[in-house]
Amino acid sequence: MEFNLDRSIKKPLYKQIAEYLEKMITSGELSPDHPLPSERTLAQQFNVNRSTIVTAYDELQSIGLVVRKKGSGTYINTDIWGISHKRIPNWGRYVEDVSFLPHLPLEQKLLNDSNRNKIINLASGELAPDLLPSNQFTSILQEQPFHEHLGYDHPQGNEVLRETICKHVGTYKKMNVHPESILITSGAQQAIHLIVQCLLKTGDTVAIEDPSYSYSLPVFQSAGLRTLLLPVDKYGVNPDDIISLQKKHRIRMLFLNPDYQNPTGTKMSLERRKRILEISSEYGIPIIEDDPYSLTSFNGEIGPTLKSMDDSGNVLYISSLSKVVASGLRIGWIIGPKEVISRLSDGKQQIDFGHSIFPQWIANQFLESPYFDEHVLKLRRELKERRDMLISALEMVPKNNLNCFVPQGGIHYWYQIDAELDDYKLLDESLKNGVSFVPGILMGSKKKYVRFTYGRGEKQSIKEGVSRFFRALQSLDR
Ligand SMILES: Cc1ncc(COP(=O)(O)O)c(C=O)c1O
């Protein structure tokens, strides 16, 4: 809050300072969690005698707004808020001491970095602006009138969009699905959240891939779930590892991202898919198949999803338009047995009363239009080109040429670095150098890895982004 003492008016200086402090307290800019600034600090700040500050604080104490504690300073009075007898909540405790956990500090640093829009972004798990179909959306909006009902939509999501999704997954993923088995969600993220909230309970054990996107999700921890880790190699997770975990702990649910896995970019082999489905049936472990990336397959081949091979109803399938159309649309879906979908859609109703009609409408128009196929073809070409650009820029640094896995689809590259470095410092230094990436530690237990998202990289800046990263790496690795 901007404040300057006005020495030209009659109002005494102590009064002006007392009023300023009062505003800072009542607006919440000064928190009850910390002592108020000392008399000496304020005297220096306002260039007044210390006695002026003492009088200002006396004034605030007399109306019950602050309390003075001998030897420890002046505090906001949290019990009785001045003469109006209102109570001041301790917001610090509210935001920290809760069951729904915030992001990890490193994740927050990435999300909240104030230079976010200025730096070369190789961190966000989404498409670069020039890969988003913005022009096609503009054309649709110009060509097609919007006549939809503007009340609450169907609890499972717009019926027309669900029918279109049935056609979509039928064409691209050979899945035979009925609209009643679909719930539209706010991206795959909400789908995961709903599954955790509605189908699991505190103390349940879930198995997730290591490294994985799920690893960084506080959603599991907030729900009081125990997570077990399944290492990912170039063919995905090893079915034998699932069996050994199952023998020691009872796995309630298995979370897998078999196609162009985030962050490794690996694709699970067909043999492993078959074996994992057998294990799922044998032990009765439901599988959550999270598939936002399979459509990006560079050569256009999309192998069978677990869901399309599942004849016993063990798989809940999640997908989303975030990585193939636009993350800002917030359109995702879950496909599963009707009773499960109905439970999840009840959960979604409780959270947000169902999905907004606008993104559902435009998503439907786009999926139904000839623009969609053209867009997917262009996207695959562009992503492959950006993958190659990233890899050749990384290969220019011979010391770090560590033979990383080359993804054949998706948007991420999991890169091993040849240095033992603190992830936080490396990220900090890279941001100072003007590039972002995701530190490996955020995605799993393996150290010495970073995730670059070439899909987010703009063509003209990928090479420069890599050299900024190495500048940061070298300055720390001395
Ligand atoms: C494997 C995976 N699942 C789910 C999501 C969530 O995506 P959205 O909610 O945007 O669909 C992501 C995003 O990075 C992801 O990589």
Side-chain angles (χ1 to χ4, degrees), residues 63-325:
I63 58 168
L65 202 56
V66 303
V67 281
R68 316 188 81 180
K69 296 185 185 166
K70 259 214 162 115
S72 96
T74 307
Y75 289 81
I76 297 173
N77 184 355
T78 49
D79 291 335
I80 302 293
W81 188 18
I83 43 176
S84 59
H85 295 272
K86 287 183 185 165
R87 293 175 79 97
I88 299 182
N90 183 342
W91 288 117
R93 200 159 331 129
Y94 278 91
V95 299
E96 275 156 26
D97 192 13
V98 280
S99 48
F100 190 71
L101 299 171
H103 275 115
L104 300 168
L106 257 178
E107 191 100 47
Q108 286 185 13
K109 186 165 177 62
L110 270 174
L111 292 169
N112 303 327
D113 186 67
S114 51
N115 284 328
R116 220 169 149 230
N117 296 327
K118 294 187 207 131
I119 58 177
I120 297 175
N121 186 345
L122 298 177
S124 306
E126 58 180 346
L127 300 177
D130 65 316
L131 296 179
L132 304 173
S134 309
N135 293 339
Q136 291 92 320
F137 274 35
T138 308
S139 305
I140 288 174
L141 290 167
Q142 282 162 353
E143 289 157 12
Q144 299 174 25
F146 174 85
H147 291 307
E148 301 304 305
H149 170 60
L150 284 169
Y152 293 123
D153 207 339
H154 189 289
Q156 281 177 232
N158 186 263
E159 284 166 290
V160 181
L161 176 59
R162 282 187 285 130
E163 269 167 30
T164 301
I165 289 173
C166 290
K167 282 190 255 165
H168 171 82
V169 295
T171 310
Y172 284 101
K173 314 210 177 163
K174 313 277 178 295
M175 283 160 63
N176 186 9
V177 177
H178 192 271
E180 274 181 39
S181 312
I182 299 184
L183 169 66
I184 310 284
T185 56
S186 174
Q189 177 76 1
Q190 189 183 44
I192 296 172
H193 203 168
L194 285 170
I195 289 169
V196 166
Q197 290 297 317
C198 302
L199 305 182
L200 294 165
K201 59 181 184 318
T202 307
D204 281 349
T205 300
V206 297
I208 61 172
E209 294 156 324
D210 178 27
S212 78
Y213 158 79
S214 305
Y215 187 93
S216 62
L217 291 182
V219 168
F220 293 100
Q221 238 184 313
S222 296
L225 305 180
R226 286 202 313 141
T227 43
L228 304 172
L229 302 180
L230 293 163
V232 175
D233 64 24
K234 61 180 171 175
Y235 304 113
V237 303
N238 188 331
D240 294 339
D241 291 338
I242 303 176
I243 298 181
S244 4
L245 284 185
Q246 172 66 12
K247 286 189 174 154
K248 283 192 229 133
H249 322 264
R250 207 169 94 74
I251 302 175
R252 277 290 279 181
M253 212 172 251
L254 186 54
F255 285 79
L256 299 173
N257 169 205
D259 287 276
Y260 314 121
Q261 200 250 3
N262 179 2
T264 59
T266 53
K267 183 171 164 163
M268 188 184 283
S269 67
L270 188 58
E271 296 82 84
R272 287 195 180 180
R273 285 178 202 240
K274 285 185 188 153
R275 183 71 194 113
I276 287 174
L277 282 171
E278 279 167 14
I279 295 170
S280 157
S281 298
E282 200 175 320
Y283 294 96
I285 310 170
I287 299 175
I288 308 304
E289 179 178 25
D290 184 8
D291 176 28
Y293 300 108
S294 62
L295 210 65
T296 59
S297 160
F298 300 152
N299 66 8
E301 274 174 30
I302 303 176
T305 59
L306 288 167
K307 181 75 190 160
S308 66
M309 297 161 71
D310 165 39
D311 42 27
S312 35
N314 285 14
V315 180
L316 280 186
Y317 176 86
I318 298 177
S319 193
S320 147
L321 294 184
S322 289
K323 320 294 174 173
V324 289
V325 179

Side-chain angles (χ1 to χ4, degrees), residues 391-428:
I391 293 179
S392 35
L394 291 167
E395 279 172 356
M396 306 272 273
V397 185
K399 184 177 170 238
N400 258 289
N401 217 338
L402 289 177
N403 244 342
C404 300
F405 180 80
V406 179
Q408 302 303 319
I411 60 175
H412 306 295
Y413 189 64
W414 188 232
Y415 183 63
Q416 191 177 4
I417 48 176
D418 190 17
E420 194 77 57
L421 289 174
D422 176 318
D423 282 58
Y424 197 91
K425 281 196 190 139
L426 181 57
L427 178 62
D428 205 39

